[in-house]
Amino acid sequence: MIELRAVSKWFGAFRALDAVSLRVEPGRLVALLGPSGSGKTTLLRILAGLEAPDAGSVWLDGAEATHLPTRQRGIGFVFQHYALFRHMSVADNVAFGLTVRRGRDRPAKAEIARRVADLLELVQLSGLAGRYPSQLSGGQRQRVALARALAVEPRFLLLDEPFGALDAQVRKELRRWLRRLHDELGLTGVFVTHDQEEALEVADEVVVMNQGRIEQAGSPTAIYDTPASPFVYGFLGHVTALPCRVAAGRVVVAGVALRVEAPDGDATAFVRPRDVRIAPPGPGRPAGAVLGQIARVGPLVRCELRLPDGTLLDAEAERDGFEPLGLGRGAAVALALRRVHLFVGASGPWPAEPD
Ligand code: ADP
Ligand code: MG
């Protein structure tokens, strides 16, 4: 188990972490998700013992580790640009953590060679032991970095945007592979990313960070279904924020009347494109918007809707359902909304239902 208790970290007058508490149960993989500068790397470095907290403590498997040297923490880590040693072969890179050991801690040469071979097989690079980093693709290099981190048989794995520099397709493959590997090895891990989809797909639990604090922690579905703050909603992306006003349990969002058990006041409604339904106007379905740009992306249609006050609202539909409607750019459409959440100031999320 990995635990942080009320950890704070200052850099001069700047507070990079503000009383952060976090618990990662054995065998779990937690994603730290947040914008650049939110403190993710600092948190990871404190876990690794590369940085000391100014307040609070670090616990590993129930023992205090706040001041334990990195080497004694049982941690393996991989960073985004954790440059491999360029003058060393793949095999020597992977062996590094073992060959630098002293005295009796250092395994015999044959034992090191055997372990390196096993690790290269694990990361599916068996044929490349003799290559140098410059002869590898980005994805292969990160797999070597991972094998190197695993060579010392860590109990905990820390990954700081390990796939951040790779292209989208390779990233997707590697993150699934990483998840399988993590489970096979029974590690406890913390995975930093600023990619929402990556966090939601890979992790058992997602921790959203903002300005050195934890904004929300929960299962990927809880984070997605019920973002706890406007910040989380905005950060998860694919959402339109619409200003509105709650009065006596009623609110009008994008021209659609909704009921909500929120206090009266100025509010912001968050609407995801998938939760906007459009149809040709008809009896009981007045026109509420005009179709703007329409983009067909594989099986989906992404539309921009212009509301009467000029506001733009994004909508997304299955092409199979959309095409038969015969709607094109400039067409007037009726709107329906589902799963809308409101924040009235800092209070929320308040689910709003059709009136
Ligand atoms: P993230 O990984 O989420 O992008 P970091 O943990 O790297 O964020 O940084 C958090 C904040 O702390 C940033 O504003 C960064 O500039 C600052 N910071 C990080 N390391 C140092 C340092 N060694 N000295 C001064 N400021 C730092
Ligand atoms: Mg970082």
Side-chain angles (χ1 to χ4, degrees):
M1 184 162 70
I2 296 175
E3 217 182 333
L4 288 181
R5 294 189 193 160
V7 163
S8 293
K9 179 71 187 175
W10 296 79
F11 293 111
F14 180 81
R15 184 158 58 186
L17 292 177
D18 182 6
V20 169
S21 294
L22 175 72
R23 222 178 129 110
V24 186
E25 299 293 334
R28 308 271 282 177
L29 182 58
V30 164
L32 287 184
L33 177 67
S36 176
S38 56
K40 306 180 300 293
T41 294
T42 303
L43 193 159
L44 220 61
R45 288 176 58 83
I46 286 174
L47 278 178
L50 299 170
E51 203 85 69
D54 294 314
S57 54
V58 177
W59 298 73
L60 295 173
D61 282 346
E64 178 158 14
T66 317
H67 303 290
L68 203 64
T70 300
R71 279 193 183 194
Q72 292 169 29
R73 294 191 181 206
I75 273 174
F77 44 88
V78 179
F79 292 121
Q80 179 177 357
H81 297 291
Y82 198 11
L84 298 172
F85 302 115
R86 281 190 297 161
H87 59 284
M88 283 188 196
S89 69
V90 165
D92 289 343
N93 265 284
V94 175
F96 183 78
L98 300 172
T99 50
V100 294
R101 285 188 181 170
R102 304 266 161 100
R104 273 194 291 150
D105 284 344
R106 179 160 150 182
K109 249 190 176 157
E111 168 63 15
I112 291 179
R114 190 189 58 78
R115 234 194 262 181
V116 167
D118 285 352
L119 284 162
L120 288 178
E121 198 179 315
L122 191 68
V123 300
Q124 299 160 359
L125 291 174
S126 287
L128 306 184
R131 288 225 190 147
Y132 285 82
S134 62
Q135 300 169 311
L136 301 176
S137 71
Q140 288 170 337
R141 269 183 231 163
Q142 281 310 70
R143 284 189 277 152
V144 175
L146 187 61
R148 181 168 67 177
L150 295 174
V152 296
E153 299 183 318
R155 285 171 294 158
F156 312 106
L157 187 60
L158 308 180
L159 304 119
D160 194 354
E161 310 214 16
F163 311 136
L166 307 175
D167 63 57
Q169 192 52 40
V170 179
R171 277 170 85 129
K172 276 193 184 162
E173 283 165 23
L174 280 187
R175 71 196 189 210
R176 287 189 191 152
W177 169 82
L178 171 72
R179 178 71 234 201
R180 281 198 304 274
L181 194 68
H182 184 272
D183 292 345
E184 267 172 45
L185 299 176
L187 296 163
T188 303
V190 181
F191 177 94
V192 167
T193 179
H194 61 260
D195 178 331
Q196 308 80 314
E197 197 184 296
E198 192 162 277
L200 294 175
E201 181 175 328
V202 166
D204 297 305
E205 189 179 346
V206 176
V207 173
V208 182
M209 294 191 61
N210 180 27
Q211 299 187 342
R213 287 182 303 106
I214 292 181
E215 191 85 16
Q216 184 175 7
S219 70
T221 49
I223 296 277
Y224 185 81
D225 292 345
T226 335
S229 66
F231 172 83
V232 177
Y233 239 121
F235 191 72
L236 292 179
H238 307 300
V239 73
T240 309
L242 297 168
C244 53
R245 193 170 168 73
V246 179
R250 294 202 145 67
V251 64
V252 176
V253 176
V256 178
L258 303 170
R259 264 183 298 121
V260 63
E261 284 177 29
D264 284 3
D266 288 330
T268 307
F270 288 87
V271 185
R272 290 203 170 105
R274 295 300 296 235
D275 296 326
V276 178
R277 294 285 166 82
I278 57 176
R285 280 202 318 258
V290 173
L291 267 179
Q293 281 196 34
I294 301 173
R296 291 172 169 83
V297 186
L300 300 177
V301 194
R302 300 207 174 111
C303 318
E304 189 184 72
L305 300 174
R306 187 173 292 277
L307 303 174
D309 67 358
T311 310
L312 296 176
L313 173 65
D314 291 329
E316 189 177 282
E318 304 279 334
R319 257 175 67 198
D320 290 348
F322 179 84
E323 305 291 12
L325 301 177
L327 295 169
R329 193 175 178 144
V333 293
L335 301 183
L337 303 177
R338 44 169 215 164
R339 266 205 299 256
V340 175
H341 282 118
L342 258 63
F343 290 87
V344 184
S347 121
W350 299 98
E353 306 283 336
D355 196 7

